[in-house]
Amino acid sequence: MREELAGFTIGVTADRRRDELAALLERRGARVVLAPALRIVPLSDDTELREATRACLDQPPDILMANTGIGMRGWLEAAEGWGLAEPLRSVLASSYVVARGPKARGAIRAAGLHDQWSPASESCDEVVDHLRRRGVAGQVIAMQLHGERQPECTLALEAAGATVIEVPVYRWAPPTDPAPLHRLIDLIAGRLVDAVTFTSAPAAEALLRTAGDRTDAVLSALRSDVLASCVGAVTAEPLLRRGVPVSAPGRARLGALVRTIVDELPRRTVTFKAGGHLLTLRGHAAVIDGELRPLAPAPMAVLRALAQSPGRVLSRTALLRTLPRGADEHAVEMAVARLRAGLRAPRVVQTVVKRGYRLRVD
């Protein structure tokens, strides 16, 4: 199959650049569920940002911590509107500049500034450790925030003797329409998506927070059947803390994230022989003798249950438990009929009179 992700369903929790990520996944055959977990909102009242900028001009920072590309660009654009862009660039040009990741580094360089160091892990903890080893006592640090305060970083640097100027440029807010996120949460809990992508740690936190009483079901799915795919180590932290295994590329890039998914998801498939055919189960489809056969959730659930023990008979009652609540044994018969029709291979699923169904392995 040329489309490596054909038959898989992938949730996208990003807001900014979600269309780009979705296009990269769809180009490889995936079905994409768009469900922004958060949105970036520029500060409606720029008083705090203006005060932080003035503080940097009054006390030129010895160190600049640039955390995000969008944040640095937003700060410099706001300063431009106040007529303070050149004075701000001038004081920042004399600072020791730490760019937490490639996007922040790109924004720094686009502004004509020069970065001196970046953490391999792109984490705040590594930045703080580096600066403390370097020595910050008596120095002023301008910390560009990325959506919310980082009190643990600020307190650690202040405890080492630094004066920290926090620079708030934007904040995280819930999505304008929360319905897609709630739908994605239901899909994860029901194991009806194969992977979920995260491009920021706050988005991962927001999804779990929004899950509410479904959190345990979501975490259970992410620990087993649903791949949590994060753009980098920092993004993965909230999930790792909760015991969720994650896949992440070595470099925090969308293209690298997609390549990681392309490598990982096909390895999680189930392949078996039945009725003289070779089948591979993907998220919402079966590949039978190399041909993709999309299936609805109910027949796919029946096929997955039968595939757990090819040749073993499962009763209608047992198969009923794999279907949505409220279904009856007639729904099982309908699901089996739709499964046979969808596979276009009637010998794969065998009826065992008065007992149930099985995959034909003889």
Side-chain angles (χ1 to χ4, degrees):
M1 294 177 58
R2 293 181 181 177
E3 296 182 321
E4 307 100 317
L5 297 178
F8 292 114
T9 301
I10 301 174
V12 171
T13 61
D15 179 25
R16 208 172 63 86
R17 303 184 71 190
R18 66 179 182 270
D19 293 335
E20 179 183 351
L21 178 54
L24 289 171
L25 293 167
E26 288 171 343
R27 198 175 301 149
R28 288 159 177 80
R31 177 187 293 173
V32 175
V33 178
L34 291 175
L38 290 172
R39 59 192 171 96
I40 291 175
V41 180
L43 291 178
S44 55
D45 180 359
D46 60 14
T47 302
E48 287 184 71
L49 179 58
R50 188 192 287 257
E51 288 177 352
T53 303
R54 286 287 185 191
C56 288
L57 296 178
D58 294 339
Q59 292 179 282
D62 302 285
I63 299 167
L64 167 64
M65 284 178 60
N67 279 307
T68 63
I70 188 173
M72 284 305 303
R73 288 193 299 273
W75 185 15
L76 292 168
E77 286 169 6
E80 186 81 45
W82 304 323
L84 299 176
E86 286 310 313
L88 180 60
R89 283 194 187 89
S90 178
V91 299
L92 296 181
S94 301
S95 302
Y96 177 80
V97 179
V98 173
R100 192 172 61 87
K103 295 176 185 176
R105 184 164 57 246
I108 287 293
R109 294 177 181 179
L113 303 172
H114 301 283
D115 53 291
Q116 278 80 28
W117 185 82
S118 291
S121 67
E122 300 184 20
S123 72
C124 176
D125 289 343
E126 188 178 351
V127 172
V128 170
D129 289 343
H130 169 76
L131 293 178
R132 286 194 298 195
R133 285 195 303 269
R134 189 172 179 271
V136 296
Q139 296 195 333
V140 176
I141 301 175
M143 180 189 296
Q144 175 255 312
L145 303 179
H146 52 99
E148 53 193 23
R149 293 191 67 246
Q150 299 164 269
E152 66 285 352
C153 295
T154 299
L155 291 173
L157 292 169
E158 288 176 341
T163 298
V164 179
I165 300 172
E166 294 183 330
V167 182
V169 184
Y170 59 86
R171 63 181 175 86
W172 296 106
T176 304
D177 179 7
L181 181 58
H182 284 285
R183 175 171 175 260
L184 176 59
I185 288 168
D186 287 339
L187 292 174
I188 296 170
R191 292 165 166 78
L192 295 175
V193 291
D194 302 286
V196 183
T197 62
F198 298 96
T199 56
S200 73
E205 292 279 14
L207 183 142
L208 296 173
R209 185 169 56 249
T210 304
D213 59 8
R214 296 166 291 177
T215 301
D216 288 344
V218 167
L219 288 172
S220 176
L222 292 174
R223 290 170 184 147
S224 53
D225 298 321
V226 180
L227 174 67
S229 192
C230 300
V231 76
V234 174
T235 298
E237 285 178 4
L239 297 170
L240 292 172
R241 284 200 309 271
R242 293 169 171 88
V244 175
V246 303
S247 70
R251 301 180 68 210
R253 300 284 196 282
L254 291 188
L257 173 65
V258 172
R259 286 192 293 274
T260 300
I261 296 171
V262 167
D263 290 341
E264 180 70 20
L265 273 186
R267 290 204 294 261
R268 297 162 67 98
T269 58
V270 176
T271 299
F272 57 92
K273 287 185 177 181
H277 300 278
L278 182 66
L279 289 91
T280 297
L281 303 190
R282 295 192 164 202
H284 62 265
V287 180
I288 180 165
D289 299 330
E291 294 293 325
L292 189 74
R293 300 280 188 258
L295 296 169
M300 193 72 210
V302 168
L303 181 56
R304 284 192 183 282
L306 294 172
Q308 289 180 4
S309 300
R312 178 188 171 198
V313 177
L314 291 186
S315 67
R316 289 177 174 80
T317 301
L319 291 174
L320 181 60
R321 288 195 288 268
T322 71
L323 300 182
R325 291 179 184 175
D328 55 22
E329 290 196 3
H330 177 66
V332 174
E333 295 172 4
M334 290 297 297
V336 171
R338 293 173 68 191
L339 173 58
R340 286 171 170 155
L343 292 176
R344 303 177 207 169
R347 283 177 47 82
V348 169
V349 180
Q350 180 184 21
T351 301
V352 181
V353 179
K354 296 184 179 180
R355 292 182 61 198
Y357 302 95
R358 70 171 184 171
L359 294 179
R360 187 190 296 271
V361 294
D362 51 358

